[in-house]
Structure formats: structure tokens, C-alpha cells
Amino acid sequence: RRDLGVGAAVAVLGAVFAYDYAVVLPDTPTVEFALPPSVPLFGDAFLWDVTQLDWLFLLTLVVMVFYVVVPLSDNRRLTAYYWRQFRKNRLAVVSLGYLVVVFLVGIVGPVFIPAPELELTRQYQPPLFTTVDSSVPLQCVGEVTGDVCHGSLAHPLGTTSDGKDILVLVIYGMQVSMKVGLISTLLVVTIGTAVGTVAAYGSGLVDELLMRYVDIQLTFPTFLLYLLLVFLFGGSLFMFIVLFGLTSWGGIARLVRSEALQLREEEYVLAAKSAGANAAYVIRRHLVPNVSSTVITAATLAIPGYILAEAALSFLQLGDPTIPSWGQVIAAGRSDLDSAWWISTFPGFFLFFTILAFNFMGDALRDALDPRADR
């Protein structure tokens, strides 16, 4: 049923994708319908131009639902056991709650909040409960007391040097970080798991060829290739995700292979082979499910690496200039740290705590999913 559900969902996405690229005109939104006057957030109509990155993210959400959420809901007894083990780490529980909030706000927020726009009449507005010399901003949005401009609820985290609301930039940065982390990790996990299990089960020449290719790929200068592509075509978030997702799975493949080499000698695998099961069946039904705990833990620890890499490239002006990310906002405020500290500080805090939360959660998942951790 799960495979049929995945196939049906992917078929629907494929049909809508084909409609978007074959029927919808280039400058026309993919989704457009009129709204009643009682829905003021979107204006007169709801418009959504689905991009290539959005299609990849929708596919990632489909895979997460059917291969993470559905198995956990089907096997509630095992899920309860995992949760009891996981909640022993209180920092991991807090981190999970924080990441759920970041995920939901990052996905839902940009739907309701318009994209940040340039507004020179509200430059350098201070955050709520703080003040700044009123001679710095061109026009104070909050209350003015003497020569001091007070922060206001209109911009609770302040504004940048070009008048963009930092809270809106942070929310859009949440979406960028979730897309980068989840899509890249899905590509890495899928390819790495497939290569690792096939190499372990095939052994011999198959194992030798695949592992030597992994060795070559691990020495491949992905960053230099990305710089070359940025020089030729400009920065693109889609290009970053695809490039790093398709060239960074070597470590996962090695980890999965080492686990699968032990599993292929287990009695249930030998029994399946003796009963006439072919290689595809054994890999799909026995090896992949039994290396899933290792893969999930590795994936959780890999997500913050991609988020941090994207933020670093955006900080160096090598990211996508059309998409607001935390690294881009931090870079925009680095020259104003003495007078407008909030521009770089708030996105920096969110980036720091997101990376830290994924690391805490990865450690707790390793302890909860690995039965050898108790010993």
C-alpha cells in the first residue's frame, strides 16, 4: 500500500509538473484563483508560481510522509519505544520542538507574508524594546522621544539598511534552510543507500567498481565546480542543491556498505536467498530496512552541514541573490554592526540554533535507534 501511495502521489506530481511546463505560459502563475473579500491576506487572488525548487521540495515531502510518517504510524508499539528512548535526552526534545516550529513557520509563513521589499523610508528601524539615535534612520516608524527612536510592533526585529523587515527575512530564510537541508539530504540518502547496499550484496567486481568510483568522487572538488558554474550562469539555489546532492553521497554509501556487509550473512538473508529470492528483493526487503536506523541518523547529522554550506556561500555573495537566506542577511549587516547590530544578530541566532538543534537531535536518534547503544 505504501509503494502504491508513493506511486500515485508521484504520478499526480508528474502530471501537474507536465501541465505547468507544457500548458501554463512562462509568465503565468501555476496556481491562480480568485478569493472572496473575507480573505484579506492574499488580496483579490491567490497566486503561486511553482518553481523547480518547489517541485523538488514537494517530492521530498511526499517521500518523508510515506517512508517516515506512515511507518511510524503503522508500528505504534515500536514508535512508542523509540520515543521513550529519544525523550531521555531533554535537549533533543527541545530541539525537536524548535525544528518543528521552524519547519511549519518556514513552509506556511511565506504563503501568508509577502516577500520582503525595498523601502527606503524605514531604514535601520530598531527592534522592539530597543532604541537608536533618530538621526540614523531616515524616518522613525515607532515612537520618538527627543533624539531617540523606539522600536515598534510594526517591525519587531527591526529593519535592514534598505528597509526590509528582518522578521520577514528570517521567516523566508527558514524556508530556504529547510529546502536546502531536506532536498539535498534526500538525494544523498537515496543514492548513497542504493550504491552501498548494491555494493555489499553484489560483492566481487560490482563492489570493487562501485567503491572505487566512490573513492574518486570523494576527492572530486565540488566547491570548485560550483564556483565555475556560478561564474558561468550566476548563483542559483536549485543548482546548489542538485550539485551537492548528486556529489556528496560517498560517505553515506560507505557507511551503508559497512552495515550491509554484516547483514548479508544473517540467517534471514540466507533463508531468503535459499528460497529463491532475487537480489532486488533481498536488497529492498531485508538490507535497506535494516540499515535505515544508520541512514536516518547520518541524514539528521548531514542536514545542518548543507544548511551551513548554503549560508556560508550566501555570506560570500556566491548564493542566489533573488532568494533571501540567513547568510545573505548576515552579510548585509556586517558593515553596520556598530550602529545596527540587529541586522546580522537575529539571522545569526536562528542559524546557530538550527544547526545546534539538528546536532542534538542526531545524537539522540543515534542512541534511540541503535540497539547497540545500551551496551
Side-chain angles (χ1 to χ4, degrees):
R1 290 182 301 171
R2 182 180 61 186
D3 295 339
L4 289 176
V6 172
V10 172
V12 171
L13 283 179
V16 180
F17 176 82
Y19 168 79
D20 183 24
Y21 277 83
V23 178
V24 179
L25 298 177
D27 296 330
T28 304
T30 307
V31 180
E32 179 180 5
F33 54 86
L35 292 175
S38 58
V39 187
L41 288 173
F42 300 101
D44 298 331
F46 175 77
L47 307 175
W48 182 24
D49 187 12
V50 187
T51 62
Q52 295 174 324
L53 196 61
D54 293 329
W55 288 116
L56 280 179
F57 190 61
L58 290 173
L59 180 61
T60 302
L61 294 180
V62 167
V63 173
M64 289 178 58
V65 167
F66 282 99
Y67 288 101
V68 178
V69 178
V70 171
L72 290 177
S73 62
D74 288 344
N75 198 338
R76 297 184 180 181
R77 183 178 178 182
L78 189 61
T79 302
Y81 167 77
Y82 286 149
W83 173 247
R84 287 195 301 269
Q85 297 296 114
F86 180 83
R87 69 182 182 184
K88 292 179 181 179
N89 190 330
R90 296 184 179 180
L91 286 175
V93 175
V94 175
S95 299
L96 177 62
Y98 168 80
L99 291 175
V100 169
V101 171
V102 169
F103 177 81
L104 294 178
V105 173
I107 300 306
V108 179
V111 177
F112 294 93
I113 302 174
E117 297 180 353
L118 182 69
E119 183 57 61
L120 297 180
T121 60
R122 58 185 189 194
Q123 291 177 297
Y124 296 112
Q125 301 298 317
L128 190 63
F129 306 121
T130 62
T131 60
V132 69
D133 188 346
S134 61
S135 62
V136 176
L138 298 180
Q139 180 178 349
C140 183
V141 175
E143 180 184 356
V144 178
T145 304
D147 294 332
V148 175
C149 175
H150 296 265
S152 67
L153 281 174
H155 308 288
L157 298 184
T159 62
T160 63
S161 59
D162 50 9
K164 294 181 180 179
D165 190 283
I166 293 180
L167 179 60
V168 176
L169 291 171
V170 166
I171 292 175
Y172 272 78
M174 292 177 182
Q175 185 186 67
V176 171
S177 297
M178 291 298 105
K179 286 182 177 179
V180 168
L182 296 178
I183 298 174
S184 301
T185 303
L186 174 65
L187 293 174
V188 168
V189 165
T190 302
I191 301 174
T193 303
V195 172
T197 51
V198 170
Y201 187 81
S203 66
L205 182 61
V206 175
D207 184 22
E208 188 69 19
L209 289 176
L210 289 177
M211 286 301 101
R212 295 297 74 77
Y213 175 77
V214 169
D215 293 338
I216 295 173
Q217 182 176 281
L218 288 174
T219 61
F220 185 79
T222 305
F223 177 70
L224 295 180
L225 177 59
Y226 178 77
L227 291 181
L228 176 62
L229 294 177
V230 169
F231 175 75
L232 294 176
F233 306 106
S236 170
L237 192 61
F238 178 80
M239 181 178 66
F240 170 86
I241 291 175
V242 172
L243 179 62
F244 281 86
L246 295 180
T247 58
S248 305
W249 49 265
I252 297 288
R254 280 185 168 181
L255 186 63
V256 169
R257 174 181 173 271
S258 65
E259 289 283 329
L261 283 174
Q262 303 175 25
L263 293 173
R264 73 175 186 178
E265 303 299 331
E266 296 290 338
E267 287 79 1
Y268 56 87
V269 175
L270 298 177
K273 293 169 63 177
S274 301
N278 57 26
Y281 181 89
V282 174
I283 291 174
R284 176 172 165 269
R285 295 298 299 273
H286 294 297
L287 294 185
V288 172
N290 284 285
V291 300
S292 59
S293 61
T294 301
V295 171
I296 291 173
T297 304
T300 308
L301 295 174
I303 291 174
Y306 294 113
I307 295 176
L308 192 59
E310 187 278 330
L313 291 174
S314 296
F315 182 84
L316 297 174
Q317 309 300 321
L318 296 174
D320 193 334
T322 64
I323 298 178
S325 70
W326 289 336
Q328 188 182 105
V329 182
I330 294 172
R334 60 184 174 180
S335 60
D336 298 314
L337 285 174
D338 55 341
S339 58
W341 53 267
W342 57 86
I343 299 177
S344 295
T345 301
F346 288 116
F349 275 148
F350 277 96
L351 177 62
F352 170 77
F353 284 117
T354 301
I355 301 299
L356 191 64
F358 271 113
N359 286 325
F360 279 138
M361 198 172 71
D363 291 338
L365 283 176
R366 180 185 57 199
D367 296 337
L369 299 178
D370 190 355
R372 296 168 295 186
D374 293 337
R375 298 199 298 270

